[in-house]
Short mmCIF file of all heavy atoms in Angstrom, two decimals:
data_model
loop_
_atom_site.label_atom_id
_atom_site.label_comp_id
_atom_site.label_asym_id
_atom_site.label_seq_id
_atom_site.Cartn_x
_atom_site.Cartn_y
_atom_site.Cartn_z
N ARG T 656 -4.73 -1.70 8.49
CA ARG T 656 -5.78 -0.85 8.67
C ARG T 656 -6.03 -0.02 7.51
O ARG T 656 -5.04 0.63 6.93
CB ARG T 656 -5.59 -0.11 9.91
CG ARG T 656 -6.82 0.63 10.43
CD ARG T 656 -6.45 1.21 11.79
NE ARG T 656 -6.54 2.63 11.49
CZ ARG T 656 -6.17 3.60 12.33
NH1 ARG T 656 -5.60 3.25 13.45
NH2 ARG T 656 -6.32 4.83 12.10
N VAL T 657 -7.34 0.09 6.99
CA VAL T 657 -7.50 0.93 5.79
C VAL T 657 -8.59 2.04 6.35
O VAL T 657 -9.45 1.77 7.05
CB VAL T 657 -8.25 0.14 4.72
CG1 VAL T 657 -8.55 0.97 3.59
CG2 VAL T 657 -7.25 -1.04 4.31
N PHE T 658 -8.27 3.26 5.85
CA PHE T 658 -9.11 4.34 6.18
C PHE T 658 -10.33 4.48 5.34
O PHE T 658 -10.31 4.16 4.19
CB PHE T 658 -8.29 5.67 6.18
CG PHE T 658 -7.32 5.85 7.31
CD1 PHE T 658 -6.05 5.22 7.29
CD2 PHE T 658 -7.77 6.37 8.56
CE1 PHE T 658 -5.20 5.31 8.22
CE2 PHE T 658 -6.75 6.48 9.58
CZ PHE T 658 -5.50 5.94 9.36
N PRO T 659 -11.53 4.90 5.83
CA PRO T 659 -12.76 5.08 4.97
C PRO T 659 -12.44 5.98 3.82
O PRO T 659 -11.57 7.05 3.92
CB PRO T 659 -13.65 5.74 6.02
CG PRO T 659 -13.21 5.40 7.30
CD PRO T 659 -11.67 5.30 7.31
N LEU T 660 -12.96 5.69 2.72
CA LEU T 660 -12.85 6.59 1.52
C LEU T 660 -13.56 7.81 1.66
O LEU T 660 -14.62 7.89 2.26
CB LEU T 660 -13.30 5.72 0.36
CG LEU T 660 -12.61 4.44 -0.10
CD1 LEU T 660 -13.22 3.79 -1.35
CD2 LEU T 660 -11.07 4.72 -0.27
N GLU T 661 -13.01 8.85 1.05
CA GLU T 661 -13.68 10.08 1.05
C GLU T 661 -14.07 10.63 -0.39
O GLU T 661 -13.56 11.53 -0.94
CB GLU T 661 -12.76 11.24 1.59
CG GLU T 661 -12.55 10.94 3.08
CD GLU T 661 -11.50 11.95 3.69
OE1 GLU T 661 -11.02 12.81 3.06
OE2 GLU T 661 -11.26 11.82 4.88
N GLY T 662 -15.04 9.79 -1.00
CA GLY T 662 -15.47 10.11 -2.30
C GLY T 662 -14.46 9.86 -3.40
O GLY T 662 -14.45 10.59 -4.43
N THR T 663 -13.63 8.95 -3.25
CA THR T 663 -12.53 8.64 -4.22
C THR T 663 -12.27 7.18 -4.38
O THR T 663 -12.78 6.41 -3.64
CB THR T 663 -11.23 9.42 -3.82
OG1 THR T 663 -10.20 9.20 -4.73
CG2 THR T 663 -10.66 8.92 -2.39
N TYR T 664 -11.41 6.81 -5.33
CA TYR T 664 -10.99 5.42 -5.53
C TYR T 664 -9.63 5.10 -4.97
O TYR T 664 -9.06 4.14 -5.30
CB TYR T 664 -11.18 5.12 -6.93
CG TYR T 664 -10.36 6.01 -7.84
CD1 TYR T 664 -9.12 5.80 -8.15
CD2 TYR T 664 -11.09 7.16 -8.40
CE1 TYR T 664 -8.36 6.70 -8.90
CE2 TYR T 664 -10.32 8.00 -9.15
CZ TYR T 664 -8.91 7.76 -9.48
OH TYR T 664 -8.16 8.63 -10.24
N LEU T 665 -9.17 6.03 -4.25
CA LEU T 665 -7.84 5.87 -3.58
C LEU T 665 -8.03 5.71 -2.11
O LEU T 665 -8.64 6.46 -1.37
CB LEU T 665 -6.93 7.17 -3.82
CG LEU T 665 -6.68 7.42 -5.32
CD1 LEU T 665 -6.02 8.85 -5.40
CD2 LEU T 665 -5.89 6.37 -5.98
N ALA T 666 -7.35 4.54 -1.59
CA ALA T 666 -7.42 4.24 -0.22
C ALA T 666 -6.17 4.32 0.39
O ALA T 666 -5.17 3.77 -0.04
CB ALA T 666 -8.03 2.87 -0.04
N TRP T 667 -6.09 4.82 1.77
CA TRP T 667 -4.97 4.80 2.56
C TRP T 667 -4.77 3.64 3.39
O TRP T 667 -5.79 3.29 4.06
CB TRP T 667 -4.86 6.09 3.47
CG TRP T 667 -4.53 7.36 2.64
CD1 TRP T 667 -5.34 8.29 2.29
CD2 TRP T 667 -3.21 7.67 2.21
NE1 TRP T 667 -4.65 9.26 1.59
CE2 TRP T 667 -3.29 8.90 1.56
CE3 TRP T 667 -2.04 7.09 2.31
CZ2 TRP T 667 -2.30 9.58 1.01
CZ3 TRP T 667 -0.92 7.71 1.80
CH2 TRP T 667 -1.03 9.04 1.17
N MET T 668 -3.68 2.86 3.35
CA MET T 668 -3.46 1.75 4.26
C MET T 668 -2.50 2.12 5.28
O MET T 668 -1.29 2.60 4.93
CB MET T 668 -2.99 0.54 3.45
CG MET T 668 -3.98 0.15 2.31
SD MET T 668 -3.47 -1.39 1.50
CE MET T 668 -1.86 -0.90 0.69
N ASP T 669 -2.75 1.99 6.51
CA ASP T 669 -1.86 2.22 7.58
C ASP T 669 -1.17 0.92 7.93
O ASP T 669 -1.70 -0.09 8.47
CB ASP T 669 -2.71 2.68 8.84
CG ASP T 669 -1.81 2.92 10.04
OD1 ASP T 669 -0.61 2.67 9.98
OD2 ASP T 669 -2.44 3.43 11.09
N LEU T 670 0.10 0.87 7.59
CA LEU T 670 0.91 -0.36 7.78
C LEU T 670 1.93 -0.16 8.84
O LEU T 670 2.81 -1.01 8.97
CB LEU T 670 1.66 -0.70 6.44
CG LEU T 670 0.72 -0.88 5.22
CD1 LEU T 670 1.57 -1.12 4.01
CD2 LEU T 670 -0.23 -1.99 5.44
N ARG T 671 1.83 0.87 9.69
CA ARG T 671 2.77 1.17 10.80
C ARG T 671 2.81 -0.07 11.82
O ARG T 671 3.82 -0.31 12.29
CB ARG T 671 2.38 2.38 11.44
CG ARG T 671 2.50 3.66 10.62
CD ARG T 671 2.10 4.88 11.36
NE ARG T 671 0.61 4.79 11.61
CZ ARG T 671 -0.12 5.68 12.25
NH1 ARG T 671 0.51 6.77 12.62
NH2 ARG T 671 -1.46 5.55 12.41
N GLY T 672 1.70 -0.67 11.95
CA GLY T 672 1.76 -1.80 12.85
C GLY T 672 2.52 -2.99 12.50
O GLY T 672 2.80 -3.90 13.29
N LEU T 673 3.03 -3.06 11.27
CA LEU T 673 3.83 -4.07 10.82
C LEU T 673 5.26 -3.90 11.27
O LEU T 673 6.04 -4.90 11.29
CB LEU T 673 3.81 -4.30 9.29
CG LEU T 673 2.41 -4.65 8.67
CD1 LEU T 673 2.43 -4.56 7.18
CD2 LEU T 673 1.92 -5.94 9.20
N GLY T 674 5.66 -2.86 11.69
CA GLY T 674 6.95 -2.44 12.14
C GLY T 674 8.08 -2.36 11.15
O GLY T 674 9.22 -2.34 11.63
N PHE T 675 7.85 -2.21 9.93
CA PHE T 675 8.87 -2.19 8.86
C PHE T 675 9.22 -0.72 8.65
O PHE T 675 8.29 0.17 8.59
CB PHE T 675 8.43 -2.68 7.50
CG PHE T 675 8.16 -4.19 7.60
CD1 PHE T 675 6.91 -4.62 7.33
CD2 PHE T 675 9.15 -5.05 7.91
CE1 PHE T 675 6.64 -6.09 7.37
CE2 PHE T 675 8.88 -6.46 7.89
CZ PHE T 675 7.67 -6.93 7.71
N PRO T 676 10.46 -0.32 8.46
CA PRO T 676 10.77 1.11 8.03
C PRO T 676 10.25 1.24 6.62
O PRO T 676 9.99 0.33 5.88
CB PRO T 676 12.31 1.05 7.98
CG PRO T 676 12.77 -0.26 8.60
CD PRO T 676 11.59 -1.13 8.65
N ASP T 677 10.02 2.51 6.23
CA ASP T 677 9.35 2.81 4.95
C ASP T 677 10.05 2.26 3.79
O ASP T 677 9.43 1.75 2.88
CB ASP T 677 9.19 4.40 4.86
CG ASP T 677 8.14 5.04 5.68
OD1 ASP T 677 7.03 4.52 5.55
OD2 ASP T 677 8.43 5.84 6.39
N GLU T 678 11.34 2.29 3.79
CA GLU T 678 12.08 1.74 2.59
C GLU T 678 11.91 0.28 2.46
O GLU T 678 11.80 -0.24 1.46
CB GLU T 678 13.67 2.15 2.65
CG GLU T 678 14.37 1.88 1.47
CD GLU T 678 13.84 2.38 0.18
OE1 GLU T 678 13.41 3.49 0.19
OE2 GLU T 678 13.95 1.79 -0.86
N GLU T 679 11.94 -0.47 3.58
CA GLU T 679 11.64 -1.86 3.54
C GLU T 679 10.22 -2.18 3.04
O GLU T 679 10.01 -3.13 2.31
CB GLU T 679 11.89 -2.54 4.86
CG GLU T 679 11.73 -4.02 4.83
CD GLU T 679 12.22 -4.68 6.03
OE1 GLU T 679 12.86 -4.16 6.96
OE2 GLU T 679 11.97 -6.00 6.14
N LEU T 680 9.21 -1.45 3.46
CA LEU T 680 7.88 -1.55 3.07
C LEU T 680 7.88 -1.40 1.50
O LEU T 680 7.22 -2.28 0.80
CB LEU T 680 6.80 -0.52 3.65
CG LEU T 680 6.30 -0.84 4.94
CD1 LEU T 680 5.50 0.46 5.45
CD2 LEU T 680 5.36 -1.97 4.81
N LYS T 681 8.44 -0.31 1.03
CA LYS T 681 8.47 -0.19 -0.32
C LYS T 681 9.12 -1.29 -1.11
O LYS T 681 8.59 -1.66 -2.18
CB LYS T 681 9.18 1.21 -0.68
CG LYS T 681 9.32 1.49 -2.10
CD LYS T 681 10.02 2.95 -2.25
CE LYS T 681 10.24 3.37 -3.76
NZ LYS T 681 10.77 4.60 -3.80
N GLN T 682 10.23 -1.72 -0.69
CA GLN T 682 10.93 -2.77 -1.42
C GLN T 682 10.20 -4.07 -1.34
O GLN T 682 10.09 -4.83 -2.31
CB GLN T 682 12.35 -3.01 -0.73
CG GLN T 682 13.32 -1.89 -1.07
CD GLN T 682 13.50 -1.57 -2.49
OE1 GLN T 682 13.65 -2.49 -3.33
NE2 GLN T 682 13.35 -0.25 -2.86
N ARG T 683 9.59 -4.48 -0.24
CA ARG T 683 8.74 -5.65 -0.11
C ARG T 683 7.58 -5.55 -1.05
O ARG T 683 7.26 -6.56 -1.68
CB ARG T 683 8.32 -5.98 1.35
CG ARG T 683 9.29 -6.43 2.19
CD ARG T 683 8.76 -6.55 3.68
NE ARG T 683 9.69 -7.02 4.58
CZ ARG T 683 9.75 -8.28 5.13
NH1 ARG T 683 8.77 -9.08 4.75
NH2 ARG T 683 10.64 -8.63 5.93
N ILE T 684 6.85 -4.46 -1.02
CA ILE T 684 5.59 -4.36 -1.87
C ILE T 684 5.95 -4.19 -3.36
O ILE T 684 5.28 -4.95 -4.14
CB ILE T 684 4.78 -3.10 -1.35
CG1 ILE T 684 4.33 -3.43 0.06
CG2 ILE T 684 3.58 -2.83 -2.37
CD1 ILE T 684 3.58 -2.17 0.72
N LEU T 685 6.93 -3.46 -3.70
CA LEU T 685 7.23 -3.19 -5.12
C LEU T 685 8.07 -4.36 -5.68
O LEU T 685 7.71 -5.04 -6.69
CB LEU T 685 7.85 -1.88 -5.31
CG LEU T 685 8.35 -1.53 -6.73
CD1 LEU T 685 7.08 -1.40 -7.68
CD2 LEU T 685 9.10 -0.21 -6.75
N ARG T 686 9.22 -4.66 -5.07
CA ARG T 686 10.11 -5.65 -5.59
C ARG T 686 9.72 -7.11 -5.31
O ARG T 686 9.77 -7.88 -6.24
CB ARG T 686 11.40 -5.47 -5.03
CG ARG T 686 12.08 -4.05 -5.21
CD ARG T 686 12.50 -3.83 -6.60
NE ARG T 686 13.12 -2.40 -6.76
CZ ARG T 686 12.78 -1.64 -7.66
NH1 ARG T 686 11.90 -1.96 -8.54
NH2 ARG T 686 13.31 -0.48 -7.66
N ARG T 687 9.29 -7.34 -4.17
CA ARG T 687 8.89 -8.77 -3.93
C ARG T 687 7.49 -9.17 -4.30
O ARG T 687 7.20 -10.14 -4.86
CB ARG T 687 9.11 -9.13 -2.50
CG ARG T 687 10.68 -9.05 -2.14
CD ARG T 687 10.94 -9.34 -0.74
NE ARG T 687 10.45 -10.54 -0.16
CZ ARG T 687 10.37 -10.72 1.12
NH1 ARG T 687 10.88 -9.96 1.97
NH2 ARG T 687 9.81 -11.94 1.60
N ALA T 688 6.45 -8.24 -4.07
CA ALA T 688 5.10 -8.55 -4.39
C ALA T 688 4.74 -8.10 -5.81
O ALA T 688 3.79 -8.50 -6.46
CB ALA T 688 4.08 -7.86 -3.39
N GLY T 689 5.56 -7.08 -6.40
CA GLY T 689 5.29 -6.73 -7.66
C GLY T 689 4.00 -5.80 -7.88
O GLY T 689 3.34 -5.74 -8.88
N VAL T 690 3.81 -5.05 -6.70
CA VAL T 690 2.64 -4.14 -6.68
C VAL T 690 3.07 -2.71 -6.44
O VAL T 690 3.87 -2.44 -5.58
CB VAL T 690 1.78 -4.45 -5.54
CG1 VAL T 690 0.55 -3.55 -5.38
CG2 VAL T 690 1.16 -5.99 -5.67
N TRP T 691 2.70 -1.77 -7.31
CA TRP T 691 3.08 -0.39 -7.28
C TRP T 691 2.08 0.37 -6.45
O TRP T 691 0.91 0.52 -6.83
CB TRP T 691 3.16 0.14 -8.71
CG TRP T 691 3.84 1.56 -8.77
CD1 TRP T 691 3.20 2.65 -8.17
CD2 TRP T 691 5.02 1.93 -9.35
NE1 TRP T 691 4.13 3.69 -8.35
CE2 TRP T 691 5.32 3.26 -9.03
CE3 TRP T 691 6.00 1.25 -9.89
CZ2 TRP T 691 6.36 3.96 -9.46
CZ3 TRP T 691 7.22 1.86 -10.35
CH2 TRP T 691 7.41 3.30 -10.22
N LEU T 692 2.45 1.00 -5.31
CA LEU T 692 1.57 1.85 -4.54
C LEU T 692 2.30 3.18 -4.44
O LEU T 692 3.34 3.29 -4.72
CB LEU T 692 1.35 1.21 -3.20
CG LEU T 692 0.87 -0.23 -3.06
CD1 LEU T 692 0.73 -0.69 -1.71
CD2 LEU T 692 -0.55 -0.23 -3.68
N ASP T 693 1.46 4.14 -3.88
CA ASP T 693 2.10 5.45 -3.58
C ASP T 693 2.62 5.40 -2.21
O ASP T 693 1.74 5.16 -1.17
CB ASP T 693 1.03 6.55 -3.74
CG ASP T 693 0.62 6.75 -5.26
OD1 ASP T 693 1.39 6.58 -6.06
OD2 ASP T 693 -0.59 7.06 -5.39
N ASP T 694 3.88 5.61 -1.96
CA ASP T 694 4.51 5.71 -0.66
C ASP T 694 3.92 6.91 0.08
O ASP T 694 3.86 8.02 -0.36
CB ASP T 694 5.95 5.73 -0.68
CG ASP T 694 6.57 4.55 -1.40
OD1 ASP T 694 5.95 3.47 -1.21
OD2 ASP T 694 7.55 4.79 -2.22
N GLY T 695 3.52 6.69 1.35
CA GLY T 695 3.01 7.83 2.25
C GLY T 695 4.07 8.97 2.34
O GLY T 695 3.62 10.15 2.30
N PRO T 696 5.28 8.65 2.57
CA PRO T 696 6.29 9.79 2.71
C PRO T 696 6.37 10.78 1.61
O PRO T 696 6.71 11.89 1.72
CB PRO T 696 7.73 9.02 2.96
CG PRO T 696 7.20 7.73 3.58
CD PRO T 696 6.00 7.43 2.86
N MET T 697 6.00 10.36 0.38
CA MET T 697 6.04 11.23 -0.73
C MET T 697 5.04 12.30 -0.60
O MET T 697 5.14 13.43 -1.33
CB MET T 697 5.90 10.45 -2.04
CG MET T 697 4.49 10.01 -2.35
SD MET T 697 4.39 9.04 -3.88
CE MET T 697 4.08 10.29 -5.15
N PHE T 698 4.02 12.19 0.32
CA PHE T 698 3.08 13.23 0.52
C PHE T 698 3.42 14.11 1.68
O PHE T 698 2.60 15.03 2.02
CB PHE T 698 1.71 12.57 0.82
CG PHE T 698 1.15 11.85 -0.43
CD1 PHE T 698 1.43 10.46 -0.58
CD2 PHE T 698 0.56 12.49 -1.46
CE1 PHE T 698 0.99 9.76 -1.64
CE2 PHE T 698 0.06 11.78 -2.59
CZ PHE T 698 0.32 10.44 -2.66
N GLY T 699 4.55 13.88 2.28
CA GLY T 699 5.11 14.80 3.31
C GLY T 699 5.09 14.14 4.70
O GLY T 699 4.83 13.02 4.93
N THR T 700 5.41 15.06 5.77
CA THR T 700 5.52 14.60 7.11
C THR T 700 4.15 13.93 7.57
O THR T 700 3.12 14.46 7.21
CB THR T 700 5.84 15.76 7.85
OG1 THR T 700 7.06 16.32 7.48
CG2 THR T 700 6.10 15.33 9.44
N GLY T 701 4.27 12.93 8.24
CA GLY T 701 3.09 12.26 8.72
C GLY T 701 2.69 10.97 7.91
O GLY T 701 1.86 10.26 8.21
N GLY T 702 3.33 10.87 6.67
CA GLY T 702 2.96 9.78 5.71
C GLY T 702 3.77 8.55 6.03
O GLY T 702 3.49 7.50 5.30
N GLU T 703 4.67 8.49 6.98
CA GLU T 703 5.48 7.44 7.29
C GLU T 703 4.61 6.23 7.73
O GLU T 703 3.72 6.34 8.52
CB GLU T 703 6.44 7.63 8.39
CG GLU T 703 7.54 8.72 8.09
CD GLU T 703 6.93 10.22 8.32
OE1 GLU T 703 5.80 10.43 8.85
OE2 GLU T 703 7.72 11.19 7.93
N GLY T 704 4.84 5.05 7.15
CA GLY T 704 4.15 3.79 7.44
C GLY T 704 2.79 3.64 6.72
O GLY T 704 2.14 2.68 6.87
N PHE T 705 2.52 4.63 5.79
CA PHE T 705 1.33 4.55 5.02
C PHE T 705 1.59 4.29 3.54
O PHE T 705 2.62 4.63 3.05
CB PHE T 705 0.47 5.86 5.07
CG PHE T 705 -0.15 6.13 6.51
CD1 PHE T 705 0.56 6.79 7.47
CD2 PHE T 705 -1.45 5.74 6.65
CE1 PHE T 705 0.09 6.96 8.72
CE2 PHE T 705 -2.00 5.98 7.92
CZ PHE T 705 -1.24 6.61 8.99
N GLN T 706 0.67 3.59 2.86
CA GLN T 706 0.65 3.35 1.46
C GLN T 706 -0.67 3.74 0.90
O GLN T 706 -1.74 3.44 1.58
CB GLN T 706 0.98 1.96 1.23
CG GLN T 706 2.43 1.46 1.61
CD GLN T 706 3.46 1.97 0.67
OE1 GLN T 706 3.36 1.90 -0.55
NE2 GLN T 706 4.60 2.44 1.25
N ARG T 707 -0.72 4.26 -0.25
CA ARG T 707 -2.03 4.57 -0.95
C ARG T 707 -2.22 3.70 -2.14
O ARG T 707 -1.28 3.42 -2.93
CB ARG T 707 -2.01 6.01 -1.42
CG ARG T 707 -3.47 6.40 -1.78
CD ARG T 707 -3.46 7.97 -2.13
NE ARG T 707 -2.76 8.26 -3.34
CZ ARG T 707 -2.78 9.40 -3.97
NH1 ARG T 707 -3.37 10.40 -3.42
NH2 ARG T 707 -2.13 9.51 -5.04
N ILE T 708 -3.40 2.99 -2.16
CA ILE T 708 -3.72 2.02 -3.16
C ILE T 708 -4.81 2.58 -4.03
O ILE T 708 -5.75 3.17 -3.52
CB ILE T 708 -3.98 0.70 -2.65
CG1 ILE T 708 -4.16 -0.46 -3.73
CG2 ILE T 708 -5.22 0.68 -1.61
CD1 ILE T 708 -4.14 -1.80 -3.16
N ASN T 709 -4.73 2.25 -5.26
CA ASN T 709 -5.85 2.63 -6.32
C ASN T 709 -6.77 1.47 -6.42
O ASN T 709 -6.37 0.40 -6.75
CB ASN T 709 -5.21 3.01 -7.62
CG ASN T 709 -6.11 3.57 -8.71
OD1 ASN T 709 -7.29 3.22 -8.64
ND2 ASN T 709 -5.69 4.30 -9.59
N LEU T 710 -8.06 1.77 -6.09
CA LEU T 710 -8.99 0.74 -6.14
C LEU T 710 -9.86 0.64 -7.42
O LEU T 710 -10.65 -0.29 -7.63
CB LEU T 710 -10.05 0.98 -4.92
CG LEU T 710 -9.50 0.97 -3.56
CD1 LEU T 710 -10.56 1.31 -2.55
CD2 LEU T 710 -8.69 -0.36 -3.19
N ALA T 711 -9.44 1.47 -8.36
CA ALA T 711 -10.18 1.55 -9.74
C ALA T 711 -9.61 0.55 -10.60
O ALA T 711 -8.94 0.87 -11.62
CB ALA T 711 -10.09 3.02 -10.21
N CYS T 712 -9.97 -0.68 -10.39
CA CYS T 712 -9.43 -1.83 -11.20
C CYS T 712 -10.39 -3.00 -11.07
O CYS T 712 -11.14 -2.91 -10.08
CB CYS T 712 -7.97 -2.20 -10.88
SG CYS T 712 -7.77 -2.74 -9.06
N PRO T 713 -10.31 -3.94 -11.90
CA PRO T 713 -11.11 -5.07 -11.65
C PRO T 713 -10.96 -5.75 -10.28
O PRO T 713 -9.78 -5.80 -9.80
CB PRO T 713 -10.81 -6.06 -12.78
CG PRO T 713 -10.20 -5.09 -13.88
CD PRO T 713 -9.49 -4.10 -13.12
N ARG T 714 -11.94 -6.34 -9.76
CA ARG T 714 -11.92 -6.91 -8.42
C ARG T 714 -10.87 -7.93 -8.32
O ARG T 714 -10.15 -8.10 -7.38
CB ARG T 714 -13.24 -7.47 -7.94
CG ARG T 714 -13.18 -7.92 -6.56
CD ARG T 714 -14.64 -8.52 -6.14
NE ARG T 714 -15.46 -7.28 -6.13
CZ ARG T 714 -16.45 -7.15 -5.39
NH1 ARG T 714 -16.79 -8.03 -4.46
NH2 ARG T 714 -17.25 -6.07 -5.44
N VAL T 715 -10.72 -8.78 -9.38
CA VAL T 715 -9.75 -9.88 -9.46
C VAL T 715 -8.33 -9.33 -9.37
O VAL T 715 -7.49 -9.91 -8.76
CB VAL T 715 -10.02 -10.77 -10.65
CG1 VAL T 715 -9.66 -10.09 -11.98
CG2 VAL T 715 -9.22 -12.06 -10.55
N THR T 716 -8.04 -8.23 -10.00
CA THR T 716 -6.75 -7.52 -9.96
C THR T 716 -6.32 -7.04 -8.55
O THR T 716 -5.37 -7.34 -8.04
CB THR T 716 -6.78 -6.33 -11.00
OG1 THR T 716 -6.96 -6.87 -12.25
CG2 THR T 716 -5.34 -5.65 -10.97
N LEU T 717 -7.36 -6.37 -7.90
CA LEU T 717 -7.24 -5.95 -6.59
C LEU T 717 -6.93 -7.03 -5.66
O LEU T 717 -6.12 -7.11 -4.75
CB LEU T 717 -8.37 -5.16 -6.06
CG LEU T 717 -8.41 -4.60 -4.76
CD1 LEU T 717 -7.20 -3.65 -4.56
CD2 LEU T 717 -9.67 -3.80 -4.50
N GLN T 718 -7.71 -8.12 -5.73
CA GLN T 718 -7.55 -9.34 -4.90
C GLN T 718 -6.21 -9.90 -5.10
O GLN T 718 -5.58 -10.31 -4.08
CB GLN T 718 -8.69 -10.37 -5.22
CG GLN T 718 -8.59 -11.65 -4.23
CD GLN T 718 -9.76 -12.53 -4.45
OE1 GLN T 718 -10.71 -12.18 -5.11
NE2 GLN T 718 -9.60 -13.68 -3.88
N GLU T 719 -5.78 -10.17 -6.24
CA GLU T 719 -4.45 -10.68 -6.56
C GLU T 719 -3.30 -9.82 -5.93
O GLU T 719 -2.44 -10.30 -5.20
CB GLU T 719 -4.20 -10.80 -8.03
CG GLU T 719 -2.84 -11.45 -8.26
CD GLU T 719 -2.55 -11.55 -9.73
OE1 GLU T 719 -3.40 -11.62 -10.54
OE2 GLU T 719 -1.29 -11.60 -10.09
N ALA T 720 -3.55 -8.46 -6.07
CA ALA T 720 -2.46 -7.53 -5.45
C ALA T 720 -2.45 -7.64 -4.00
O ALA T 720 -1.31 -7.65 -3.39
CB ALA T 720 -2.79 -6.07 -5.94
N LEU T 721 -3.53 -7.70 -3.37
CA LEU T 721 -3.54 -7.82 -1.91
C LEU T 721 -3.08 -9.06 -1.46
O LEU T 721 -2.40 -9.17 -0.42
CB LEU T 721 -5.08 -7.60 -1.40
CG LEU T 721 -5.63 -6.18 -1.56
CD1 LEU T 721 -7.06 -6.13 -1.21
CD2 LEU T 721 -4.85 -5.10 -0.84
N GLU T 722 -3.26 -10.20 -2.02
CA GLU T 722 -2.80 -11.49 -1.69
C GLU T 722 -1.29 -11.48 -1.81
O GLU T 722 -0.58 -12.08 -0.96
CB GLU T 722 -3.51 -12.56 -2.56
CG GLU T 722 -4.92 -12.85 -2.16
CD GLU T 722 -5.56 -13.79 -3.13
OE1 GLU T 722 -4.95 -14.24 -4.19
OE2 GLU T 722 -6.76 -14.07 -2.91
N ARG T 723 -0.82 -10.92 -2.88
CA ARG T 723 0.66 -10.91 -3.04
C ARG T 723 1.38 -9.96 -2.04
O ARG T 723 2.40 -10.32 -1.45
CB ARG T 723 1.08 -10.40 -4.51
CG ARG T 723 0.68 -11.42 -5.50
CD ARG T 723 0.76 -11.08 -6.97
NE ARG T 723 1.59 -9.89 -7.34
CZ ARG T 723 1.54 -9.39 -8.62
NH1 ARG T 723 0.61 -9.77 -9.46
NH2 ARG T 723 2.27 -8.40 -8.86
N MET T 724 0.71 -8.93 -1.66
CA MET T 724 1.13 -8.07 -0.59
C MET T 724 1.20 -8.78 0.67
O MET T 724 2.19 -8.74 1.56
CB MET T 724 0.38 -6.80 -0.52
CG MET T 724 0.70 -5.85 -1.62
SD MET T 724 -0.35 -4.35 -1.74
CE MET T 724 -0.63 -3.93 -0.04
N ALA T 725 0.19 -9.52 1.00
CA ALA T 725 -0.04 -10.23 2.29
C ALA T 725 1.07 -11.27 2.37
O ALA T 725 1.58 -11.42 3.50
CB ALA T 725 -1.38 -10.91 2.41
N ALA T 726 1.40 -11.85 1.28
CA ALA T 726 2.53 -12.95 1.33
C ALA T 726 3.91 -12.30 1.76
O ALA T 726 4.59 -13.00 2.37
CB ALA T 726 2.53 -13.67 -0.06
N VAL T 727 4.18 -11.17 1.28
CA VAL T 727 5.49 -10.57 1.57
C VAL T 727 5.49 -9.74 2.84
O VAL T 727 6.57 -9.30 3.30
CB VAL T 727 6.07 -9.77 0.36
CG1 VAL T 727 6.16 -10.60 -0.87
CG2 VAL T 727 5.28 -8.56 0.16
N LEU T 728 4.40 -9.42 3.30
CA LEU T 728 4.29 -8.55 4.57
C LEU T 728 4.06 -9.39 5.82
O LEU T 728 4.14 -8.91 6.94
CB LEU T 728 3.29 -7.48 4.54
CG LEU T 728 3.52 -6.41 3.39
CD1 LEU T 728 2.30 -5.52 3.19
CD2 LEU T 728 4.83 -5.67 3.53
N ALA T 729 3.86 -10.63 5.70
CA ALA T 729 3.50 -11.51 6.87
C ALA T 729 4.76 -11.93 7.68
O ALA T 729 5.92 -11.77 7.19
CB ALA T 729 2.87 -12.81 6.38
#
């Protein structure tokens, strides 16, 4: 689930429904998919299960990142 943007190019993704602990999410996304996101917990309490993605990139780059993430989070 992705939250509506608030005048920015940074989007919050709610990955809590996948059931992975934060460290496992981080490892799957960074190490296995090769995609660097901002971990929700680094923003404080309530960030657990969230990741922030930067959308300010070419569409093809974003699409590739999302496909790689989907492959390791399925």
Side-chain angles (χ1 to χ4, degrees):
R656 194 174 110 191
V657 178
F658 288 87
L660 297 178
E661 296 179 359
T663 182
Y664 52 88
L665 300 170
W667 283 104
M668 297 186 301
D669 180 355
L670 303 177
R671 294 176 295 179
L673 298 175
F675 297 117
D677 284 305
E678 189 57 34
E679 185 172 350
L680 271 176
K681 181 178 180 178
Q682 293 305 313
R683 284 176 178 254
I684 293 169
L685 179 61
R686 303 283 183 233
R687 291 177 55 194
V690 176
W691 187 296
L692 301 177
D693 294 324
D694 299 322
M697 73 186 271
F698 295 95
T700 304
E703 298 84 7
F705 288 85
Q706 295 283 317
R707 190 173 73 170
I708 187 168
N709 186 331
L710 304 175
C712 61
R714 184 176 298 213
V715 67
T716 302
L717 180 59
Q718 182 174 348
E719 180 181 338
L721 293 173
E722 288 172 357
R723 288 170 27 195
M724 287 172 38
V727 301
L728 295 173

